């Protein structure tokens, strides 16, 4: 079986993201007169969730806020929603919460809780929604079957979106993922297949081929720019407004990398808007180990090419579990293994000498999917 992904650098995407970074840095948009430059500007504005500027003769510069930069981030106070799809995107921002047990000395440690998303209880609801919405916007009457390689969370998000949009999902899981995933995904109406491989990314090419052969649609979370875009338009902007609300002195963001979608978008956004003082730390499993949802940089990631990461931190699976248990026992939050890995990485960085200030740890999901792993660990360590 072959893998068709190379994750090479795409020149046009590179130019668009350079423009996105420039707009974020300057907080304003300049209308070019050249049509091809204007086309590029429109694409950059779409990544930023802004309306196109009118570009009148006498006026060529527009502040981001004038173009609706923050308008998509609107907390609903009374929490009434007209559909479960609205419950997803109109319920953002996901919470930002201070972890009191980790905040000591000059450090404020905050967690962004992606488990507050309703479908997969994970960060992946965002991309399930954006990939399916973009697909349906271009193919409004499609009755497609969605094919996807997933380590569970994207599968849950796609199964949910398929359910509410009247589509079907065929999901392909690596052999290494907990058995509970098959049950969850089947309950959610998806067809589930196991692939005898360790990493999800190792059979993306096969799923692509299969979808093509069987007339299905492969949205492909690893390469679909709707992934990166939804994190730039929502996740990053939410965190920006939340950090302002809490008057944070933001020194760094720590996050796991799977497709690299959320951490790359956070890096582009915060470094462009606030400079190199906001450090970005990426968390990956130690060599030869598996932590569900995250993987090693050298296995290839699309959006990491265009952004800066200050450090990549290796975490062992047992450290991830230990730190997830620690958060459950100190904060009362039952977090997933990649969230535990993010805590472990942060503690390692702090022990190595981090600048004091506020740090945000992105917690991608909830602990319930990993019961089998927690159970083995508790049994083995008698803890
Ligand atoms: N953590 C979990 C549990 C995940 O499922 C994923 C993605 O699959 C990630 C972290 C990484 O997120 P991203 O794909 O945005 O890099």
């Amino acid at each position: 079986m072959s893998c068709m992904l190379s994750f090479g650098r795409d020149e046009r995407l590179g130019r668009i993201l350079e423009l996105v970074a420039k707009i974020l840095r300057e907080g304003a948009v300049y209308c070019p007169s050249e049509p091809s430059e204007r086309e590029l500007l429109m694409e950059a504005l779409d990544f930023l969730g802004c309306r196109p500027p009118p570009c009148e003769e006498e006026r060529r510069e527009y502040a981001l806020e004038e173009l609706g930069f923050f308008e998509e981030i609107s907390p609903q106070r009374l929490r009434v929603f007209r559909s479960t799809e609205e419950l997803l995107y109109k319920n953002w921002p996901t919470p930002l919460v201070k972890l009191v047990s980790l905040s000591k000395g000059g450090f404020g440690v905050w967690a962004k809780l992606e488990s507050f998303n309703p479908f997969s209880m994970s960060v992946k609801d965002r991309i399930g929604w954006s990939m399916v919405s973009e697909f349906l916007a271009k193919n409004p009457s499609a009755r497609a079957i969605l094919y996807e390689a997933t380590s569970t969370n994207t599968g849950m998000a796609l199964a949910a979106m398929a359910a509410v949009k009247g589509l079907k999902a065929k999901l392909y899981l690596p052999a290494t993922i907990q058995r509970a995933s098959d049950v969850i995904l089947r309950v959610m109406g998806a067809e589930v297949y196991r692939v005898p491989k360790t990493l999800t990314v190792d059979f993306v090419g096969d799923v692509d081929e299969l979808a093509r052969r069987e007339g299905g649609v492969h949205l492909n979370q690893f390469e679909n720019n709707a992934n990166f875009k939804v994190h730039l338009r929502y996740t990053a902007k939410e965190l920006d407004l939340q950090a302002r609300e809490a008057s944070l002195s933001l020194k760094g963001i720590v996050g796991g990398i799977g497709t690299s979608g959320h951490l790359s978008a956070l890096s582009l956004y915060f470094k462009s808007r606030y400079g190199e003082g906001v450090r970005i730390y990426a968390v990956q499993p130690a060599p030869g180990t598996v932590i569900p949802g995250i993987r090693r940089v050298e296995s290839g990631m699309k959006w990491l090419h265009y952004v800066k990461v200050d450090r990549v931190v290796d975490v062992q699976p047992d450290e991830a579990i230990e730190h997830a248990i620690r958060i459950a026992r100190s904060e009362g939050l039952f977090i997933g293994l990649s969230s535990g890995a993010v805590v472990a990485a942060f503690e390692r960085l702090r022990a190595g000498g981090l600048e004091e200030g506020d740090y945000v740890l992105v917690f991608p999901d909830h602990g319930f999917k990993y019961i089998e792993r927690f159970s083995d660990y508790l049994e083995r360590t008698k803890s």
Side-chain angles (χ1 to χ4, degrees), residues 99-113:
L99 301 177
V100 175
S101 64
L102 266 59
S103 300
K104 51 191 179 204
F107 289 94
V109 185
W110 299 74
K112 188 153 173 66
L113 301 181

Side-chain angles (χ1 to χ4, degrees), residues 109-124:
V109 185
W110 299 74
K112 188 153 173 66
L113 301 181
E114 291 300 303
S115 60
F116 274 66
N117 284 300
F119 294 144
S120 62
M121 279 142 278
S122 89
V123 68
K124 292 297 179 177

Side-chain angles (χ1 to χ4, degrees), residues 60-324:
R60 306 207 141 265
E61 185 185 326
Y62 296 84
L64 272 186
E65 272 78 355
E66 284 181 88
L67 306 177
F69 185 62
F70 282 125
E71 282 171 18
E72 286 178 321
I73 315 296
S74 56
Q76 272 234 350
R77 283 181 192 280
L78 291 176
R79 302 168 66 82
V80 176
F81 303 96
R82 301 204 176 276
S83 67
T84 52
E85 188 185 352
E86 269 200 20
L87 170 66
L88 170 63
Y89 71 89
K90 289 199 174 172
N91 204 27
W92 292 331
T94 53
L96 181 71
V97 61
K98 187 169 189 176
L99 301 177
V100 175
S101 64
L102 266 59
S103 300
K104 51 191 179 204
F107 289 94
V109 185
W110 299 74
K112 188 153 173 66
L113 301 181
E114 291 300 303
S115 60
F116 274 66
N117 284 300
F119 294 144
S120 62
M121 279 142 278
S122 89
V123 68
K124 292 297 179 177
D125 276 17
R126 297 178 185 269
I127 73 163
W129 175 70
S130 65
M131 293 194 305
V132 171
S133 302
E134 274 203 7
F135 169 71
L136 289 177
K138 286 179 197 147
N139 309 275
S141 51
R143 283 281 153 266
I145 301 180
L146 309 177
Y147 286 61
E148 192 74 26
T150 168
S151 60
T152 304
N153 286 331
T154 302
M156 288 176 74
L158 288 178
M161 285 302 294
V164 301
K165 298 292 183 190
L167 307 174
K168 284 187 172 205
K170 282 193 182 184
L171 304 170
Y172 297 82
L173 268 66
T176 44
I177 292 298
Q178 61 282 340
R179 306 303 319 169
S181 296
D182 304 56
V183 182
I184 296 169
L185 293 169
R186 284 173 53 211
V187 167
M188 296 184 77
E191 279 180 34
V192 183
Y193 302 91
R194 286 277 175 167
V195 181
K197 296 216 169 167
T198 310
L199 288 181
T200 308
V201 72
D202 289 343
F203 52 89
V204 174
D206 304 311
V207 171
D208 198 74
E209 229 173 88
L210 203 60
R212 206 162 322 146
R213 218 180 315 128
E214 297 182 358
V217 173
H218 181 210
L219 294 174
N220 189 359
Q221 60 171 326
F222 294 93
E223 294 192 300
N224 189 328
N225 286 332
N227 173 345
F228 177 86
K229 194 188 291 183
V230 77
H231 291 302
L232 198 63
R233 281 174 68 158
Y234 293 90
T235 322
K237 275 189 214 171
E238 287 171 27
L239 184 56
D240 189 6
L241 290 177
Q242 289 171 317
R244 281 197 220 171
E245 171 79 11
S247 305
L248 300 194
S249 161
L250 190 60
K251 293 292 187 295
I253 299 172
V254 191
I257 40 173
T259 64
S260 82
H262 76 269
L263 198 71
S264 299
L266 289 167
S267 175
L268 185 77
Y269 186 99
F270 281 90
K271 283 188 179 289
S272 304
R273 242 163 119 71
Y274 301 108
E276 288 298 319
V278 182
R279 307 250 162 213
I280 300 291
Y281 301 105
V283 183
Q284 63 178 7
T289 69
V290 175
I291 298 176
I294 59 175
R295 61 194 171 92
R296 292 185 63 75
V297 171
E298 67 262 23
S299 59
M301 293 184 190
K302 181 170 182 181
W303 300 285
L304 227 44
H305 285 298
Y306 307 95
V307 304
K308 186 168 171 207
V309 167
D310 293 282
R311 241 181 98 178
V312 181
V313 183
D314 282 10
V315 171
Q316 293 286 344
D318 269 3
E319 289 180 283
I321 298 185
E322 277 156 29
H323 283 81

